[in-house]
Amino acid sequence: MWSLCFKGLATNTDLQCPSLSLAASDGILQLVPGPWPPASSSYLGQSSSNHPQVLGFEIDSVNSVQFSNHTGYAHWKGQVLNSDELHELYEGLKLNGVNKYDYVLTGYTRDKSFLAMVVDIVRELKQQNSRLVYVCDPVMGDKRNGEGSMYVPEDLLPVYKEKVVPVADIITPNQFEAELLSGRKIHSQEEALAVMDVLHSMGPDTVVITSSDLPSSRGSDYLIALGSQRTRRPDGSMVTERIRMEMRKVDAVFVGTGDLFAAMLLAWTHKHPNNLKVACEKTVSAMHHVLQRTIQCAKAQAGQGLKPSPAQLELRMVQSKKDIEDPEIVVQATVL
């Protein structure tokens, strides 16, 4: 299979992974924040979402931005791909007859016309391949100290609600984004499950709320994630699997974790299509290993008692290759 990924990211020339030749049966078209150039020190976006390659996926990446570094730094320079330029790139794929994909993965974008063009591309690809799976990370905002705020223009919300989510098969919102898309607030696990039902009714069969501020029985150091997956039985009836995961918080601000989560979930739901519990356990456990390695390295570089810089907190993706390929399960999911 082939995948198309729309994205954005950066790499570090001192840590680049050697290229791999994979005998893959699966392909991904990936549209996410676009690569930071080789001189930059970031692994955001493209690098994070490209790691299904080590799990046997071939990936074509369309970079929605080309920045000097990710926007967690004080300064950045670069260009943003617009909808006309995206259309031109996709037309090039069509003219060569190579626009054949099994997955599409999308992440952060700030332009509603670009987002609408993504939807047109997904619809066309689904006409060619009815089994194509579209994985969407609907990046719009987050909560800080209990208050939610959008960090993309507000006119993207109706595009996500009316056009993107209805064609998506898997979505990975955080709590705030799930609330925006459903029009409902989440104050309890029951309300979160009801919100996921609303999101199912909009189109996607798999919904994972990647983080929430719901209380954990294990204390305030833990973060709650919830997932819901609808599958159809041979007799045509629908069954829904719901899971809950509790993850220890890491006291740092990382950039690129959403891209990594969505990419890992794509890969593990492909390998375990009817077992959301296992797919999420492998996804979150891989995330745990990457973040723990990253924070340990960052603290060592910063020095005792000093706060790591954005450069020191770049995700240690290459160093975590084995954990991405075969993560030790350190976070268990509970079936609800």
Side-chain angles (χ1 to χ4, degrees), residues 6 35 54 56 78 133 177 234 236 250 275-276 291 312 314 323 332:
F6 298 75
V54 303
V133 174
E177 291 158 348
V250 180
N275 195 331
L276 183 64
L291 295 183
Q312 292 164 341
E314 296 287 358
D323 291 317
Q332 299 282 342

Side-chain angles (χ1 to χ4, degrees), residues 36-320:
W36 324 132
S40 115
S41 59
S42 171
Y43 279 95
L44 166 66
Q46 182 173 11
S47 186
S48 296
S49 49
N50 267 351
H51 271 72
Q53 284 181 321
V54 303
L55 294 171
F57 291 80
E58 296 286 359
I59 299 176
D60 287 347
S61 297
V62 177
N63 304 305
S64 59
V65 302
Q66 176 87 10
F67 284 172
S68 56
N69 45 268
H70 68 65
T71 56
Y73 287 81
H75 309 281
W76 65 91
K77 298 289 184 180
Q79 302 81 40
V80 178
L81 192 73
N82 63 40
S83 58
D84 290 338
E85 291 164 337
L86 171 60
H87 178 72
E88 184 177 6
L89 289 173
Y90 181 67
E91 285 299 307
L93 293 171
K94 286 175 61 177
L95 289 171
N96 287 296
V98 293
N99 60 326
K100 296 175 174 62
Y101 300 98
D102 303 289
Y103 289 89
V104 175
L105 171 63
T106 64
Y108 175 81
T109 184
R110 293 185 56 86
D111 182 77
K112 69 176 184 178
S113 64
F114 184 96
L115 198 56
M117 179 61 65
V118 169
V119 173
D120 291 341
I121 291 171
V122 170
R123 286 176 176 158
E124 181 172 322
L125 291 173
K126 284 195 169 192
Q127 288 179 344
Q128 296 178 186
N129 177 9
S130 62
R131 300 181 65 182
L132 180 140
V133 174
Y134 171 31
V135 181
C136 172
D137 181 9
V139 182
M140 290 182 287
D142 205 350
K143 286 191 174 185
R144 291 288 184 270
N145 300 318
E147 294 295 324
S149 62
M150 295 184 68
Y151 40 65
V152 300
E154 292 185 3
D155 61 3
L156 263 67
L157 177 57
V159 180
Y160 273 112
K161 291 177 68 172
E162 298 165 15
K163 296 183 178 182
V164 179
V165 173
V167 299
D169 300 284
I170 300 173
I171 60 172
T172 59
N174 58 36
Q175 177 181 334
F176 178 64
E177 291 158 348
E179 291 175 339
L180 287 176
L181 292 170
S182 66
R184 298 189 182 190
K185 292 293 185 179
I186 296 173
H187 304 98
S188 66
Q189 179 173 291
E190 291 69 27
E191 290 179 340
L193 297 179
V195 162
M196 289 193 287
D197 283 339
V198 171
L199 296 175
H200 280 315
S201 71
M202 296 168 69
D205 285 332
T206 301
V207 178
V208 178
I209 298 178
T210 58
S211 63
S212 74
D213 56 13
L214 295 177
S216 168
S217 60
R218 304 173 72 177
S220 59
D221 290 337
Y222 284 81
L223 194 67
I224 304 298
L226 296 160
S228 180
Q229 184 177 56
R230 299 186 309 184
T231 54
R232 189 175 298 278
R233 293 191 178 109
D235 64 5
S237 62
M238 298 289 289
V239 60
T240 302
E241 177 187 9
R242 302 182 188 277
I243 59 103
R244 170 189 173 106
M245 306 188 77
E246 301 191 21
M247 307 160 287
R248 183 178 285 276
K249 296 177 182 177
V250 180
D251 186 20
V253 177
F254 302 100
V255 178
T257 54
D259 295 302
L260 179 60
F261 189 101
M264 291 294 95
L265 187 64
L266 182 159
W268 291 118
T269 53
H270 170 76
K271 293 176 181 292
H272 305 282
N274 297 313
N275 195 331
L276 183 64
K277 179 180 186 295
V278 171
C280 284
E281 286 176 343
K282 290 188 175 183
T283 296
V284 174
S285 293
M287 294 281 298
H288 170 86
H289 296 307
V290 172
L291 295 183
Q292 288 300 318
R293 180 173 288 105
T294 299
I295 193 64
Q296 290 170 8
C297 292
K299 287 182 175 179
Q301 289 181 349
Q304 187 173 3
L306 298 178
K307 183 179 179 180
S309 68
Q312 292 164 341
L313 287 169
E314 296 287 358
L315 298 181
R316 299 314 198 268
M317 300 297 299
V318 173
Q319 298 90 330
S320 303

